[in-house]
Amino acid sequence: MNCIIVDDENASRMIVSHLCSQVEDVTVIDEFPNALQAIKFLNKNEVDFIFLDIHMPDFTGFDFLDTLASPPKVILTTSDRNFAIEAFEYDCIVDYLVKPITLPRFIKALQRLESAPAAAPAATPVVSKETSANPEASTEKEMYVNIDRRLIKIEFDKIFLIEAKGDYILIKTEQKNYTVHSTLKKIEEKLPEHLFVKVHRSFIINIKKIIDIEDNSVLIARDVIPISRSNRPELMKRLNLL
């Protein structure tokens, strides 16, 4: 299996490369200190999988994956444990290695890689297939969230945006904000398609609350929300443009 290593730390790249050298049938064909160089390489070359760091300057590992139309399988290598839930919202990610990486844990990740199905093409986010197949998702006018053992009703048309924050999501509404233990993917399945669109790996917005769009950002109330390259075409398609 051929792979590349994408990590801004030279020591980390050396460690992963050394671990690969101790395993049969794994060949590191190149290493990159940033995501942009890796993107240029992948535009002309194919690999079986990628060792990918999350925290890198300018372009995070997640930003990197958002730019790829059809990413290969990915093993994350990071010193941050806080993004595990968010990481597995990506179909291409097969394992999450926390530094320092031991050889037994490294081998286990490769075993998971070999048994994992081929990575699916990047989805065009708006609403998941489950939502499209579920008529209730488009007819309901509100949802209930569990906060401190209380069920709180939130009306869809009062929501400004929803932001992923590690193992939680932040729901901003006209009245107040709510922090809920959930993932963006899970709540996306509950939202009506005609009102909401995912514009970034960390943000879903109510398109009726858009004030302004400029370059790669959108203004919702007082919040400037980034628009990822992969999500921008769907947002533009959903807007009533003159």
Side-chain angles (χ1 to χ4, degrees):
M1 294 186 292
N2 294 331
C3 69
I4 60 172
I5 302 170
V6 186
D7 196 316
D8 62 312
E9 297 180 355
N10 182 57
S12 295
R13 296 196 305 272
M14 290 178 62
I15 290 171
V16 173
S17 182
H18 176 68
L19 289 168
C20 288
S21 69
Q22 300 183 61
V23 180
E24 293 184 1
D25 300 326
V26 174
T27 302
V28 178
I29 57 177
D30 216 331
E31 302 176 14
F32 303 96
N34 60 67
L36 295 179
Q37 290 183 22
I39 291 170
K40 291 179 181 179
F41 176 85
L42 292 173
N43 284 338
K44 299 179 180 179
N45 303 274
E46 293 185 1
V47 296
D48 296 313
F49 70 100
I50 303 172
F51 288 105
L52 178 64
D53 187 22
I54 293 178
H55 293 295
M56 294 183 288
D58 301 324
F59 234 56
T60 70
F62 293 128
D63 291 332
F64 167 70
L65 293 178
D66 286 338
T67 67
L68 301 179
S70 183
K73 296 178 184 179
V74 173
I75 296 176
L76 290 181
T77 57
T78 177
S79 56
D80 194 334
R81 299 175 180 270
N82 296 325
F83 291 94
I85 291 180
E86 183 177 357
F88 289 104
E89 290 185 8
Y90 290 82
D91 293 334
C92 60
I93 295 176
V94 298
D95 209 343
Y96 191 101
L97 295 179
V98 179
K99 303 172 184 177
I101 304 168
T102 63
L103 181 58
R105 183 65 182 86
F106 185 81
I107 292 174
K108 184 176 181 180
L110 292 176
Q111 291 171 343
R112 288 180 177 176
L113 178 81
E114 292 177 346
S115 62
T124 319
V126 172
V127 174
S128 66
K129 292 181 180 178
E130 291 85 350
T131 306
S132 300
N134 180 8
E136 292 184 1
S138 58
T139 58
E140 294 292 339
K141 296 183 178 180
E142 70 275 323
M143 65 179 175
Y144 286 82
V145 295
N146 191 337
I147 300 176
D148 295 330
R149 299 184 180 180
R150 295 175 56 212
L151 290 178
I152 307 296
K153 182 174 76 172
I154 300 179
E155 296 178 10
F156 289 134
D157 60 2
K158 300 296 177 58
I159 297 174
F160 284 118
L161 61 92
I162 303 167
E163 179 182 0
K165 288 185 172 290
D167 294 343
Y168 292 82
I169 56 172
L170 175 64
I171 304 173
K172 292 191 175 184
T173 75
E174 294 177 1
Q175 289 79 24
K176 61 183 298 185
N177 299 336
Y178 303 91
T179 300
V180 182
H181 189 271
S182 182
T183 66
L184 209 61
K185 183 177 182 179
K186 186 175 181 180
I187 196 170
E188 186 179 12
E189 297 171 359
K190 306 292 184 182
L191 300 173
E193 179 178 356
H194 70 284
L195 271 184
F196 293 90
V197 59
K198 188 174 181 181
V199 296
H200 185 271
R201 63 179 174 82
S202 299
F203 291 95
I204 295 173
I205 65 170
N206 184 336
I207 58 176
K208 301 297 184 182
K209 303 295 184 181
I210 294 174
I211 297 175
D212 186 22
I213 299 176
E214 182 175 352
D215 296 329
N216 295 318
S217 65
V218 56
L219 181 63
I220 303 284
R222 297 182 178 179
D223 292 294
V224 178
I225 309 302
I227 305 172
S228 70
R229 183 183 307 174
S230 60
N231 293 86
R232 185 178 177 84
E234 185 61 35
L235 174 62
M236 294 298 102
K237 186 171 71 173
R238 296 283 302 281
L239 298 177
N240 187 19
L241 297 177
L242 180 61

